[in-house]
Amino acid sequence: MLRQYELVDRVLSYDPNADEALLNRAYVFSMAAHGSQVRASGDPYFSHPIEVAGILTDLHLDDETIATAILHDTIEDTVATQEEIEAKFGASVARLVDGVTKLSKIEAQSESERAAENFRKFLLAMSDDIRVLLVKLADRLHNMRTLHHIPKPEKRRRIARETMDIYAPLAERIGMYGFMSEMQTLAFRELEPEAYASITKRMEQLREGAGDRISRITSGLKLLVGQKGITAEVQGREKQPFSIWRKLAERHVSFEQLTDIMAFRLIVDDIEQCYQALGIIHRRWPTIPGRFKDYISTPKRNGYRSLHTAVIHSERVRIEIQIRTHEMHEQAENGVAAHWAYKQGQPLRGDSYGSWVKDLVDLVDSASSPEELLENARMAMYQDRIFAFTPAGELIQLPKNATPVDFAYAVHTDLGDQTVGAKVNGRVVPLRTTLNNGDQVQILKSKAQEPQAAWESFAVTAKARAAIRRYVRQKEQADAIALGRQFYDQIVARLPAQLAPDALVQALKRLRLPDADKLMGMIARRRVTDAQVMEALMPGSTSDGQIATKPVAQPGTTISIKGLTPGVAFTLAPCCTPVPGDRIVGVRLPHAPVEVHAIECPVLANAPEEDWIDLAWGDGSEGGTVRLQVVVKNEPGSLGVMAGIFGAQGANIVNLTLAQRDQGFHVFQVLIEVHDLQHLTRILASLRAADAVVRAERMEPAVAAAAE
């Protein structure tokens, strides 16, 4: 563990103007606050924040960031408060410590919600000040270095998986490839121990068989470019086990077939020498097609710049070579942290290092669930990039397999919403066309256009998919509210008297709903019955005078089920819509209410018998919907006869669809509300007795489900 004077000397060595007193106060305060706390390794807990601070001194970060690292666990793990931190160390340090603390306090319970909440807080905090993220990444890196001390395997795997899924990609996105590589290696060793051991062993065997091959190739590269007057620092290394494992999985090859497991780096004085060295290497050895990438002329979104190529070396091995300047190398290793010295103490905010952070932050508002947030965020971070151009020559970076829809949303959300077509390299193409590197894309738009749900099937960027989903959800909600208002007006018209001015307000209170739009949406989706709405608007206006206190998935007035533990939620299956009197069975579903099916429902064939529950209707149960198929003669008045029978029998028509029409007959599918099976039987008997009705049947569950 670094001693107090050693840590301060490190900071002063690269920042002579650092606040030495601030660092000393932070060191002493943290040591006293953590007191006798110990880590899983048995070391004093205080050693952890000091090691995190030491990692950040290697990045030459400012005194406030180092102080934050020293204090980053005090609010979470000790009795210290944010107000105390602000009083002793200033508002800036207190804000940073609070930001790191919020990233660590995950209160959601489920795994997906916990991970999503973690990621959401990450995005919001780092968009305000990137130093919060730098401290948290250093914190996670040190935790991964000491992961083996944690006794519980499941906890080690959870931390390793979170590191692989979230922290390592974030380190990559801000250009900190050194952090990313070490995190991936440590996480891979924990998550795939057998694969890690196997690859490590094979690398040792190759090393023994080839001798000091890396050293020989390194010397040869330095001599080759030196003969042309280029002084270069040449570094050689074997690729990390995780990188090799990923290539094996992507290429579906064995280890013996994987040849490019060595990488070399030439660091030269200026950009001109980068391209000179590239020409020298390409003249000396044959290149591997498709492996050259110029990130100097078109940098990555995180600012990374370098030339990448791959050649077949004289020793009959494939090698990858990166060529860059000293400044590019510093940027490649430490990413956004490398810029700190040039910012003269100004906070590094989200807009200082790439629009991708803003795109990710936008996902927080657009995601409808934790799972969707994680899906979009991981999609945004993991995909390889291509480069396309606007007609004006502006460079747009996109994931591999991106389409014109993704391109349009990358330019601006409004442009994406109004997209009607696209031209790629001057030729009109379908919107689902996959873009290639270097394509020039012109988006054709119209103010009358709106996002289409079908776009989501081929859009690949998180921003495009989130925008499409958000619009579709809003459109569906608006349509449901409009439809619900039409049904609501019909319900009001059936009331026995005119409503008072505040009747709707009182009805919302009785139904425990926040506003009228919520009620209209529930009416449209049949999550509340006409009778419930009538009774809420005008108590006593229905025959039973009952209001359901909890919404149910299917309409009904009084439904109870025998065979379920009291308090267990249930829903009537929409595929077969059982009504009281039908033989029924329940199916257990994960994280959902028990689903009640009619015994003849074909869906039960796919449900494991161990999930079945023997059920029966409770005493007094009545109410439900059934779908009928009624064939009537094609003559005036037939539809009126059918509707009159429903009215006379007290059956409410929920939905009426003309399924088939020909010269002699009309086939209607009718969704009606009935009290129970006996009520349904009387309705069918009345229909069949009418001269205008040719046939009337209850639709089979599979047919009814298909008609939904």
Side-chain angles (χ1 to χ4, degrees), residues 180-418:
M180 177 203 72
S181 179
E182 186 174 355
M183 284 182 184
Q184 287 178 337
T185 298
L186 295 171
F188 177 59
R189 184 172 64 185
E190 180 63 38
L191 295 171
E192 302 287 347
E194 294 182 0
Y196 178 87
S198 175
I199 291 174
T200 303
K201 183 178 180 181
R202 292 291 292 122
M203 295 294 290
E204 291 175 355
Q205 293 172 348
L206 287 177
R207 202 177 300 125
E208 293 172 359
D212 199 3
R213 175 180 284 167
I214 290 181
S215 180
R216 293 197 304 271
I217 296 177
T218 299
S219 300
L221 282 169
K222 187 169 185 177
L223 178 62
L224 177 66
V225 297
Q227 291 173 344
K228 302 297 183 180
I230 298 177
T231 302
E233 176 186 342
V234 183
Q235 302 172 351
R237 60 178 175 83
E238 293 172 339
K239 292 185 176 179
Q240 297 292 336
F242 174 70
S243 176
I244 294 174
W245 181 78
R246 185 164 56 183
K247 287 182 180 294
L248 293 175
E250 290 174 352
R251 302 181 188 177
H252 305 287
V253 297
S254 64
F255 188 92
E256 290 72 21
Q257 295 172 294
L258 191 67
T259 55
D260 49 343
I261 59 175
M262 292 180 293
F264 298 86
R265 186 175 294 135
L266 275 69
I267 305 173
V268 298
D269 293 333
D270 54 44
I271 293 178
E272 184 177 352
Q273 289 186 350
C274 289
Y275 289 100
Q276 289 175 347
L278 177 70
I280 294 169
I281 291 169
H282 281 186
R283 286 196 299 270
R284 176 65 180 83
W285 295 297
T287 62
I288 300 174
R291 301 293 294 277
F292 171 66
K293 295 179 181 178
D294 186 347
Y295 293 119
I296 293 179
S297 64
T298 52
K300 292 186 177 182
R301 297 187 76 185
N302 58 18
Y304 175 87
R305 293 182 297 161
S306 185
L307 297 177
H308 289 195
T309 190
V311 300
I312 303 177
H313 191 265
S314 305
E315 296 202 16
R316 296 181 180 179
V317 293
R318 297 185 180 192
I319 61 173
E320 291 185 358
I321 301 174
Q322 300 170 353
I323 308 171
R324 60 179 66 144
T325 66
H326 293 278
E327 181 185 350
M328 294 175 192
H329 179 63
E330 179 70 14
Q331 162 73 10
E333 290 298 298
N334 298 327
V336 67
H339 290 298
W340 186 261
Y342 304 104
K343 289 290 182 180
Q344 299 179 346
Q346 299 176 11
L348 281 172
R349 301 189 183 277
D351 55 3
S352 302
Y353 54 98
S355 61
W356 69 272
V357 173
K358 182 180 183 301
D359 292 346
L360 286 179
V361 172
D362 288 343
L363 300 181
V364 173
D365 298 325
S366 62
S368 62
S369 65
E371 292 77 8
E372 184 177 326
L373 172 59
L374 284 180
E375 174 198 347
N376 290 343
R378 288 169 179 165
M379 185 184 301
M381 290 194 299
Y382 278 123
Q383 293 165 315
D384 294 333
R385 316 302 290 182
I386 65 166
F387 302 93
F389 297 88
T390 67
E394 180 185 356
L395 178 67
I396 303 295
Q397 297 191 44
L398 295 166
K400 188 177 181 181
N401 299 322
T403 65
V405 168
D406 299 299
F407 182 94
Y409 278 106
V411 175
H412 197 281
T413 301
D414 289 344
L415 180 61
D417 290 345
Q418 298 173 11

Side-chain angles (χ1 to χ4, degrees), residues 1-19:
M1 181 180 73
L2 288 172
R3 296 182 180 275
Q4 183 174 347
Y5 73 88
E6 293 173 331
L7 181 63
V8 174
D9 286 347
R10 277 198 187 188
V11 178
L12 293 175
S13 67
Y14 62 81
D15 184 8
N17 298 320
D19 189 341

Side-chain angles (χ1 to χ4, degrees), residues 585-587 597-608 612:
V585 66
V587 176
H597 291 261
I599 194 67
E600 70 272 18
C601 181
V603 171
L604 294 175
N606 300 320
W612 287 27

Side-chain angles (χ1 to χ4, degrees), residues 39-256:
R39 306 194 80 214
S41 62
D43 295 332
Y45 190 92
F46 174 67
S47 64
H48 167 65
I50 297 305
E51 291 300 324
V52 172
I55 292 172
L56 295 176
T57 60
D58 293 336
L59 303 178
H60 293 184
L61 293 179
D62 67 313
D63 49 15
E64 287 186 346
T65 308
I66 304 303
T68 299
I70 298 172
L71 300 167
H72 79 270
D73 278 337
T74 54
I75 296 179
E76 181 182 6
D77 295 329
T78 76
V79 296
T81 64
Q82 185 180 357
E83 292 74 20
E84 190 176 2
I85 298 293
E86 183 172 353
K88 292 180 180 294
F89 305 102
S92 181
V93 171
R95 177 175 53 81
L96 292 173
V97 172
D98 181 59
V100 178
T101 302
K102 286 179 178 177
L103 301 183
S104 302
K105 284 188 174 181
I106 308 304
E107 299 174 353
Q109 295 181 353
S110 75
E111 188 71 15
S112 62
E113 288 177 347
R114 182 192 56 77
E117 179 68 3
N118 191 3
F119 202 84
R120 184 185 69 83
K121 292 177 179 178
F122 238 133
L123 299 178
L124 296 177
M126 74 182 183
S127 66
D128 178 59
D129 194 324
I130 190 61
R131 291 179 294 177
V132 171
L133 175 58
L134 297 180
V135 174
K136 190 60 183 178
L137 288 177
D139 172 50
R140 178 49 62 106
L141 179 59
H142 185 255
N143 283 334
M144 289 301 297
R145 289 174 178 175
T146 57
L147 185 66
H148 57 283
H149 291 298
I150 296 177
K152 294 183 178 179
E154 61 274 13
K155 184 175 181 181
R156 293 199 306 269
R157 289 184 63 83
R158 177 184 65 77
I159 294 173
R161 172 54 59 195
E162 188 176 63
T163 300
M164 187 71 84
D165 286 351
I166 295 178
Y167 291 87
L170 276 172
E172 178 190 13
R173 275 296 182 251
I174 60 173
M176 300 182 69
Y177 289 95
F179 274 40
M180 177 203 72
S181 179
E182 186 174 355
M183 284 182 184
Q184 287 178 337
T185 298
L186 295 171
F188 177 59
R189 184 172 64 185
E190 180 63 38
L191 295 171
E192 302 287 347
E194 294 182 0
Y196 178 87
S198 175
I199 291 174
T200 303
K201 183 178 180 181
R202 292 291 292 122
M203 295 294 290
E204 291 175 355
Q205 293 172 348
L206 287 177
R207 202 177 300 125
E208 293 172 359
D212 199 3
R213 175 180 284 167
I214 290 181
S215 180
R216 293 197 304 271
I217 296 177
T218 299
S219 300
L221 282 169
K222 187 169 185 177
L223 178 62
L224 177 66
V225 297
Q227 291 173 344
K228 302 297 183 180
I230 298 177
T231 302
E233 176 186 342
V234 183
Q235 302 172 351
R237 60 178 175 83
E238 293 172 339
K239 292 185 176 179
Q240 297 292 336
F242 174 70
S243 176
I244 294 174
W245 181 78
R246 185 164 56 183
K247 287 182 180 294
L248 293 175
E250 290 174 352
R251 302 181 188 177
H252 305 287
V253 297
S254 64
F255 188 92
E256 290 72 21

